[in-house]
Amino acid sequence: MTGTTGRLRRLAVAIPYLWLLAFTLAPFAIVLRLSLSDADTALPPYAPHFEGFSGLGDFLAALDLENFRLLADDGLYWGSYLASLRIAGLTTLFALAIGYPLAYAMASAPRRWQGVLLVAVILPFWTSFLIRVYAWIGILRPDGLLDGALMALGLTSEPLRLLNTEAAVLIGMVYSYLPFMVLPLFTTLQKLDRTLLEAAADLGAKPSHAFLTVTLPLSLPGILAGTALVFIPAVGEFVIPDLLGGPDTAMIGKVLWTEFFSNRDWPLASAVAVVLLLVLVLPLALLQRARLARGGAP
Amino acid sequence: MRRLGPGLVLALAAGLAFLYLPIVALVAYSFNASRLVTVWGGFSTRWYGALLGNQPLLDAAWLSLRLATVSATLATVLGTLAALALARHRRFAGRALFSGLVLAPLVMPEVVTGLSLLLMFVAADVERGFWTVTVAHATFGMGFACIVVQARLSGFDRSLEEAAQDLGATPLVTFATVTLPLIVPGVAAAWMLAFTLSLDDLVIASFTTGPGATTLPMRLYSAVRLGVSPEINAACTLMIATVASVVIAASLLLKREDRVRG
């Protein structure tokens, strides 16, 4: 390898690496540091109180677990973390229930249709997330489109009052995250070797039995990928509970936002962020380790 | 030729209806003459006219477009470099940390990304505005760009590069004439994804912006919180039409490219 090649290659690694250290790792470190500070020494504007990266010794001396104690003691925060996990879990289940048949139908469609169907599923994802949530306000609000349609059909006699409830949040979340479930499922199901199903049929398996013993196990990687892609961002979601939920839908993303922007308690908001990361990243890291330990493919 | 059974046709129709009904309703009501969402007052384009007079919204849209263009370009360059680094260097110091940091935006909730970047900008005493949001979006988009380019690189025939090098091409010439043209569809897709993510982002922009830099999603968000309005429906319809035409054009282009390449 020549000298220039080596230098170029090092540069190609160094540029993104330095960027990530500066704009991903350093910010984490600061959140962690601030989560261990007192609110009164870190009240905004808190820049003057922050001695920069040089005063590392003072940094460590001033560490304080106060915020985490508060998080542990106050039921509001526990409740929000649990509510977020529950809503994200339900979102994932519903997305799977709607997404699996959809992805299965897409993968079973004639080849020349598959491309079109794929674009059709991705297209809403490319249009603004905020717009898609906003569209649901018009549908779910009292005397909105859904109530109008149901009452016109004579199915209900009074408005359902879905907006500002947890049901509305769930509908909005399932709707917004559905493409993230469908895409990995479609890719897995499309690659599925259909001769295996024919073999199962030849050996006398009923279609339902073949589905349960052949298709479902083979599509497990797609199910896992879709579940991760929906569940993880859903836990920290802020916009949907804020726009579609009511005052009692306290998801943790909304709590963090409120602590930061309304209560201006930066250290507590940081502590909320640190615990949220632990809740999300720790299980993933453990899963990854378990996989590596088993010697399986990543 | 495979045929879909009635059950699968139903699954497909129901799934697509769920995805499209809200959007269709929104577009339809943007042409409603009445201010009320429940009452159809006849066809009208008056809300589109009102939109043209809404200077704050137009300013926000222009800012968002500029911001998305710059941050997507940065994200694509950084993401492509990162993808090349991960694909070509089996071992380098801190490789695990590097790949973890690249993928962080995919795992991290946006509120956490936004908060941590803001705290860093405050600590570094940087004035917040256009450039802080651009840096935040570039960092966020870089992870997604890296994944897209990596997918393209996984099917890459390394012998083509080796052939160019054997024929005396310098590394830069090899990259420009062999590597880049081969991964260009991936790079273009990465740019589009980063562009859309930036254009769409409310949470990270809200944290990292400063006075005078209000993006379109921030403007829409405050309007939406005040209630449903036909003018916002019109703005949303225009955005949907723009995105839809770009995506359809791009997918047709990519399809043609695939056919040309066989």
Side-chain angles (χ1 to χ4, degrees):
Chain A
M1 192 187 286
T2 60
T4 27
T5 319
R7 251 199 310 280
L8 272 174
R9 292 186 149 211
R10 269 197 295 277
L11 203 64
V13 181
I15 294 170
Y17 208 159
L18 289 176
W19 183 282
L20 288 172
L21 291 180
F23 298 115
T24 305
L25 196 63
F28 279 157
I30 293 171
V31 169
L32 197 59
R33 167 70 182 89
L34 195 58
S35 72
L36 297 166
S37 310
D38 269 331
D40 51 358
T41 58
L43 268 181
Y46 97 115
H49 302 282
F50 192 93
E51 287 95 40
F53 304 100
S54 49
L56 200 67
D58 304 333
F59 246 45
L60 297 173
L63 294 189
D64 182 351
L65 288 171
E66 187 66 31
N67 295 305
F68 291 99
R69 225 168 282 141
L70 187 66
L71 285 191
D73 288 345
D74 193 328
L76 166 80
Y77 300 103
W78 271 118
S80 304
Y81 281 111
L82 289 178
S84 300
L85 290 174
R86 181 168 50 86
I87 291 175
L90 285 172
T91 301
T92 313
L93 277 181
F94 282 118
L96 189 62
I98 300 172
Y100 199 97
L102 181 59
Y104 190 83
M106 284 167 68
S108 315
R111 277 245 166 239
R112 63 201 164 87
W113 281 101
Q114 291 187 0
V116 178
L117 289 172
L118 195 60
V119 172
V121 169
I122 297 175
L123 203 55
F125 162 75
W126 285 97
T127 60
S128 168
F129 168 73
L130 201 56
I131 294 177
R132 282 177 287 140
V133 178
Y134 165 73
W136 279 103
I137 299 182
I139 295 172
L140 295 174
R141 66 195 212 129
D143 63 73
L145 283 175
L146 182 66
D147 280 343
L150 287 178
M151 286 197 285
L153 290 171
L155 291 172
T156 53
S157 54
E158 55 183 85
L160 290 173
R161 308 205 172 282
L162 275 175
L163 192 62
N164 303 328
T165 63
E166 195 176 299
V169 176
L170 265 177
I171 293 174
M173 302 257 289
V174 172
Y175 181 74
S176 304
Y177 289 112
L178 189 60
F180 293 99
M181 181 61 90
V182 173
L183 291 182
L185 280 174
F186 170 71
T187 331
T188 320
L189 287 167
Q190 196 192 25
K191 280 194 222 134
L192 199 119
D193 186 357
R194 287 188 181 255
T195 55
L196 291 172
L197 286 176
E198 283 161 25
D202 287 347
L203 293 170
K206 279 197 277 249
S208 58
H209 189 65
F211 176 81
L212 286 176
T213 52
V214 179
T215 311
L216 203 58
L218 284 175
S219 59
L220 211 57
I223 295 177
L224 287 178
T227 299
L229 283 176
V230 173
F231 183 79
I232 292 166
V235 174
E237 180 59 48
F238 159 72
V239 180
I240 300 173
D242 189 57
L243 291 180
L244 299 180
D248 52 329
T249 357
M251 284 183 72
I252 198 68
K254 205 175 144 185
V255 170
L256 192 158
W257 182 281
T258 314
E259 286 301 342
F260 187 83
F261 283 108
S262 309
N263 301 345
R264 319 267 310 147
D265 191 339
W266 294 19
L268 191 61
S270 302
V272 171
V274 169
V275 175
L276 179 55
L277 267 186
L278 286 180
V279 167
L280 282 180
V281 176
L282 215 58
L284 278 178
L286 290 176
L287 203 73
Q288 187 69 20
R289 263 186 83 145
R291 251 192 224 153
L292 288 177
R294 263 190 285 127
Chain B
M1 171 73 113
R2 280 184 259 137
R3 288 182 64 94
L4 290 181
L8 289 183
V9 172
L10 189 71
L12 208 54
L16 289 176
F18 180 57
L19 283 173
Y20 280 93
L21 276 182
I23 296 175
V24 170
L26 190 127
V27 172
Y29 275 94
S30 75
F31 292 106
N32 187 4
S34 161
R35 180 166 269 287
L36 296 166
V37 179
T38 36
V39 185
W40 180 257
F43 181 87
S44 156
T45 52
R46 63 184 272 214
W47 305 114
Y48 289 87
L51 206 59
L52 286 177
N54 192 335
Q55 199 55 43
L57 201 70
L58 295 180
D59 288 344
W62 177 232
L63 174 82
S64 276
L65 281 176
R66 280 184 298 146
L67 209 144
T69 309
V70 179
S71 67
T73 308
L74 262 171
T76 309
V77 172
L78 290 164
T80 305
L81 285 176
L84 284 167
L86 287 171
R88 300 293 160 79
H89 297 256
R90 291 274 154 249
R91 264 189 287 271
F92 59 85
R95 191 181 197 276
L97 176 69
F98 181 80
S99 61
L101 289 177
V102 170
L103 296 183
L106 285 82
V107 190
M108 288 236 298
E110 288 187 327
V111 279
V112 178
T113 310
L115 177 74
S116 60
L117 277 164
L118 168 69
L119 294 181
M120 201 212 47
F121 290 135
V122 172
D125 205 12
V126 181
E127 197 186 331
R128 275 162 281 142
F130 181 86
W131 284 105
T132 44
V133 184
T134 303
V135 165
H137 281 183
T139 310
F140 174 68
M142 162 181 184
F144 291 88
C146 177
I147 301 263
V148 174
V149 176
Q150 255 185 326
R152 185 82 195 179
L153 276 172
S154 69
F156 191 91
D157 187 356
R158 287 291 298 273
S159 59
L160 293 171
E161 283 179 342
E162 282 157 19
Q165 303 248 356
D166 287 347
L167 292 170
T170 62
L172 266 183
V173 170
T174 309
F175 180 77
T177 57
V178 179
T179 317
L180 196 58
L182 281 172
I183 60 170
V184 130
V187 174
W191 190 89
M192 268 181 58
L193 183 58
F195 182 83
T196 319
L197 286 171
S198 166
L199 209 58
D200 206 17
D201 167 66
L202 166 74
V203 174
I204 295 173
S206 298
F207 274 101
T208 53
T209 194
T214 308
T215 63
L216 187 59
M218 288 163 69
R219 194 60 77 191
L220 281 178
Y221 175 67
S222 52
V224 165
R225 292 196 69 164
L226 293 177
V228 179
S229 106
E231 199 180 315
I232 295 301
N233 282 359
C236 294
T237 303
L238 285 181
M239 284 174 73
I240 292 170
T242 314
V243 171
S245 33
V246 170
V247 170
I248 290 171
S251 60
L252 288 178
L253 246 156
L254 284 178
K255 216 172 163 185
R256 233 180 70 189
E257 174 129 345
D258 274 358
R259 217 178 294 142
V260 171
R261 286 173 192 274

